[in-house]
Amino acid sequence: MSVITTTAPPKPLIIGGLTAAVGAGAATAAVAAAGEFAGISLVVGGAPIPLSGFAMLTVIFSVAGLMLAVGLARWARRPRTAFVHTTLALTALSLVPDALVGASVATKVLLMVTHVVAAAIVIPAIARRLSA
């Protein structure tokens, strides 16, 4: 008799990651709204970014990070370290397009702040659920 075992992602990782994604989406939309309220334009390349766009893209990319974490939890020798290093590098790379877009300096800084806010919420929330 043979036994087939599968490794399902741990529920705390999935639930914690999804919760962090939603929280980060709300936070980035709030930061963008505060920036807009302070007079910073949300127009990039001639088109305005809706507040819902901040939330939606944050959730989408946070879920992509969660999928990365699930893969690392399964295949990496040190998933937490690999996840933190990878996501910090990706966060830094995500700032490059913000610096290059056709927008005011204040708008560019606001966009960068939203990336950092999202990373500050999602990365620790997921990393603490991965084995060291």
Side-chain angles (χ1 to χ4, degrees), residues 79-130:
R80 181 183 302 157
T81 302
F83 177 77
V84 170
H85 289 172
T86 302
T87 53
L88 288 177
L90 290 171
T91 301
L93 285 173
S94 77
L95 302 177
V96 173
D98 294 341
L100 301 176
V101 298
S104 71
V105 172
T107 301
K108 291 177 182 184
V109 170
L110 179 62
L111 292 172
M112 290 179 182
V113 167
T114 61
H115 288 217
V116 172
V117 166
I121 293 169
V122 175
I123 294 171
I126 292 175
R128 75 173 149 256
R129 290 170 173 83
L130 292 169

